Amino acid sequence: MNIPRCEVCGLVMTRYGYTSRGTQRWRCRACGVSRVGRIDNTAKLLERFLKWLTSGELQKNMPGAGRTFRRKNERLWQLWPFCPVVDEVHPVVFVDGLHLGRQAVVLIACTNEHVLGWYVARSENSRAWGALMSRIAPPDVVVTDGSGGFEKARRQHWPDTSVQRCVFHVFMNLTTATTRHPRLPASQELRQLALALLKAKTPQSARQWIRDYMDWLRRWEAFLAQRTATPNGTLEYTHARLVKARNSTNKILADKRLFTFLDDEWDITMPSTNNRIEGAINAPLRQMLRDHRGMSLTRRIKAIFWWCYMHSPNPLPPAQLLKTFPTDSDIENTYHHARQHHQTATSIPQWGDAIVWAEIHHTTPYTNRWD
């Protein structure tokens, strides 16, 4: 049995009879303070809360349509789960952003086994990506879909890490330009190149694909250079979607990031796509948000944070989580304390990103874009 300690002097208390309801009373012999021993079941409630959040269980199927469940777990929504610092070097890290409409995006980094880090921001930019990368040891290869601001952050935080552009995303970019049933001869040939890209799994097939693509560029150079006059008198590319696909593919090839997974320097088989994070991370997260739809933006962000933390390498037990993670009040006090002591600073140190507090909890008639 756990014997309580005095809240005043910290000494062990002794039994001091019972209350009228039969509850054990305790008393400190040193200072005379008495108290009633109560069992703290918050850890059990948190365990039940996380089990519900990461499953498809619906509140409407609970006793009382979930009213008791919501009342007991209201205080647990105050916790903010944050990602730990990852010192272990992994050979491959997958990164991607999960957008919550146009209001926020959660940047996630993972391996084949665990989620390594997560970060919430207004948009995918170098500042947000840098905050995520700074807490993770640089891997050998990072697989990305080429999100905005990622390359700038990588050069700063992971300068020696090789980049593999997701081949499937490149394929989809080409498909967007050509459509699935193209009519123009140039689009038909580019469509065939896009399909062949998914089958380029060896160095020989990769080199052949690059040669075929270069032949396509030379053959349709004049066709892609055609321009059309607009009503306001400016000239625009007649086949703008094909030109956009050409430019993006040329940049990827120039940076040598399309077939990084086929380099000879790797001792293991490197992935060519971002399917791991799309299928094993983003898909379950979207399903969780659908199962528990109707939550506010803050709670959707926290739900994603909790899911990522429970799939991190070494999640703590619920009792330890209650002592480790800060609450909304803790973050608000830290924010106001920093604002009072850094009036002349250009930015205010705070938990997470400004989106968490300034954008969600501070409503003004003026636009405030920290990112």
Side-chain angles (χ1 to χ4, degrees), residues 59-303:
Q59 292 186 19
K60 67 178 183 180
N61 298 330
M62 297 179 179
R67 287 187 292 271
T68 302
F69 177 82
R70 289 191 293 272
R71 175 176 56 81
K72 290 183 176 180
N73 293 280
E74 178 67 25
R75 53 180 172 171
L76 300 179
W77 280 113
Q78 304 298 316
L79 293 173
W80 277 98
F82 290 105
C83 58
V85 176
V86 179
D87 295 329
E88 180 183 359
V89 178
H90 296 273
V92 183
V93 170
F94 305 87
V95 296
D96 196 15
L98 182 64
H99 288 262
L100 301 177
R102 297 183 178 180
Q103 299 172 309
V105 57
V106 180
L107 308 180
I108 302 175
C110 74
T111 63
N112 286 321
E113 295 82 17
H114 302 289
V115 178
L116 299 182
W118 52 93
Y119 191 82
V120 64
R122 171 64 67 182
S123 61
E124 297 187 46
N125 52 70
S126 59
R127 174 175 171 267
W129 281 115
L132 175 66
M133 295 178 184
S134 62
R135 300 179 65 86
I136 303 175
D140 296 330
V141 175
V142 57
V143 185
T144 176
D145 58 0
S147 304
F150 173 81
E151 180 56 26
K152 180 180 178 181
R154 186 202 64 80
R155 290 195 301 266
Q156 180 179 0
H157 297 277
W158 294 351
D160 299 327
T161 299
S162 300
V163 179
Q164 169 63 53
R165 284 292 297 271
C166 177
V167 173
F168 185 76
H169 279 83
V170 177
F171 163 78
M172 290 305 299
N173 291 338
L174 296 177
T175 301
T176 301
T178 63
T179 72
R180 296 183 182 274
H181 303 284
R183 296 183 179 182
L184 296 176
S187 298
Q188 293 174 356
E189 293 185 12
L190 186 59
R191 172 63 177 171
Q192 294 303 316
L193 285 172
L195 295 173
L197 178 61
L198 298 178
K199 301 177 182 179
K201 301 295 185 180
T202 62
Q204 296 77 12
S205 59
R207 287 192 292 267
Q208 183 60 45
W209 189 90
I210 295 176
R211 286 193 293 268
D212 294 341
Y213 175 74
M214 292 301 176
D215 291 340
W216 180 85
L217 288 179
R218 288 190 292 268
R219 190 161 48 251
W220 298 102
E221 181 178 3
F223 177 79
L224 297 177
Q226 294 178 5
R227 294 175 180 266
T228 303
T230 60
N232 57 8
T234 61
L235 293 176
E236 295 182 354
Y237 284 107
T238 305
H239 311 286
R241 290 189 303 181
L242 289 179
V243 172
K244 182 179 179 180
R246 177 201 63 182
N247 294 341
S248 62
T249 306
N250 288 350
K251 188 177 188 310
I252 297 174
L253 290 175
D255 295 337
K256 298 181 180 180
R257 293 174 179 172
L258 186 58
F259 298 110
T260 305
F261 70 102
L262 295 176
D263 291 347
D264 298 332
E265 59 182 298
W266 313 125
D267 298 330
I268 61 174
T269 302
M270 291 295 181
S272 61
T273 66
N274 230 1
N275 292 348
R276 172 61 188 174
I277 194 171
E278 292 287 354
I281 307 296
N282 290 349
L285 285 176
R286 292 190 179 98
Q287 183 61 46
M288 178 186 66
L289 296 179
R290 286 193 294 267
D291 292 337
H292 308 309
R293 58 185 177 272
M295 295 187 295
S296 64
L297 177 61
T298 305
R299 291 195 173 183
R300 278 183 287 163
I301 293 174
K302 289 183 178 181

